[in-house]
Amino acid sequence: MIKTGIYINASCIIRHHSAEKNGQPVYEARHADLPDFLRGLYDRFSGQYPKFHKMDLLSKLGWAATEILLQDMPMDMYAPEDTGVILANASSSLDTDEKYFETVHDIASPALFVYTLPNIVIGEISIRHKFKGENAFFVQERFDTAFITGYAAQLLESGAVKAVVCGWVEQYHAGHEAAFYLLETTPRGMALPYSAETAEKLYR
């Protein structure tokens, strides 16, 4: 049972080459391919992080979703160890791994730097925002909002962290989807009292 006093203070949903923040559209490029769509998100929300260009597409997607999520939600009220990141997806880093194997079919040495762990997504987010709190990346069959947001809420209840970026980031071939939430114990932003049902409604 989730206790009271936890709030969904922001949400970001990215799918079908469009992005929304707190249920409101903020960016759309339906005719772009995925790399160009993600580059558009980068230019629109934070074109000042050159390391973005070195990331694989899964990391870019998670990174961009966090930029949108935290826009106008300053996190400097927290010490670095007080913010955690809890994410999940179904395909892990399979898309990048497949591209890597394609490169080594024809040449003796890799032509593509490969991220082999989905935790790299969390790493890129944490480096960007200086988060040092608890983090985890789960590989699941589907986005289980009750599990992911519930796990994040337990971290807040225990006092392990004071804020959590949590949700789902999926990228495989042309498909992509991100559903991120900011859970905090102090209401601000959209300030919806937390429940798995509320998180699921925002996702759908």
Side-chain angles (χ1 to χ4, degrees):
M1 177 67 69
I2 301 300
K3 300 176 183 177
T4 59
I6 296 175
Y7 301 89
I8 300 174
N9 284 338
S11 69
C12 172
I13 309 295
I14 299 176
R15 59 166 70 101
H16 307 310
H17 289 75
S18 64
E20 63 180 47
K21 166 80 176 282
N22 299 342
Q24 300 300 313
V26 293
Y27 183 79
E28 182 177 88
R30 293 191 182 274
H31 299 294
D33 62 13
L34 183 55
D36 285 345
F37 170 70
L38 293 173
R39 174 58 188 265
L41 284 176
Y42 170 79
D43 291 340
R44 168 67 175 81
F45 290 96
S46 183
Q48 302 294 325
Y49 195 66
K51 192 179 177 185
F52 174 88
H53 303 290
K54 297 181 179 181
M55 300 178 195
D56 69 347
L57 293 178
L58 181 65
S59 295
K60 286 180 178 179
L61 179 59
W63 187 92
T66 308
E67 291 294 292
I68 297 170
L69 181 77
L70 299 182
Q71 187 182 44
D72 303 321
M73 302 293 290
M75 302 299 288
D76 54 6
M77 67 180 69
Y78 302 114
E81 60 272 15
D82 286 338
T83 301
V85 183
I86 307 298
L87 299 177
N89 78 359
S91 66
S92 185
S93 56
L94 188 57
D95 184 83
T96 297
D97 293 341
E98 288 184 350
K99 290 176 181 175
Y100 169 79
F101 286 121
E102 289 174 7
T103 68
V104 297
H105 268 297
D106 301 322
I107 56 176
S109 61
L112 175 72
F113 177 74
V114 60
Y115 288 114
T116 57
L117 296 174
N119 276 335
I120 292 295
V121 181
I122 289 177
E124 297 291 3
I125 293 169
S126 297
I127 290 168
R128 164 67 167 169
H129 295 282
K130 300 180 173 64
F131 298 156
K132 295 183 179 180
E134 185 161 343
N135 65 77
F137 197 114
F138 297 95
V139 179
Q140 302 178 304
E141 184 177 353
R142 61 179 180 80
F143 183 24
D144 186 341
T145 53
F147 175 79
I148 296 300
T149 53
Y151 186 97
Q154 289 178 22
L155 293 177
L156 293 165
E157 290 176 357
S158 70
V161 294
K162 296 179 181 176
V164 183
V165 172
C166 64
W168 177 262
V169 55
E170 183 72 76
Q171 185 273 315
Y172 184 62
H173 291 176
H176 65 279
E177 181 179 69
F180 279 38
Y181 308 97
L182 175 63
L183 299 188
E184 297 177 283
T185 55
T186 301
R188 59 181 179 140
M190 63 194 308
L192 297 176
Y194 167 74
S195 71
E197 291 78 12
T198 300
E200 182 69 16
K201 286 179 182 178
L202 291 171
Y203 171 61
R204 298 300 174 191

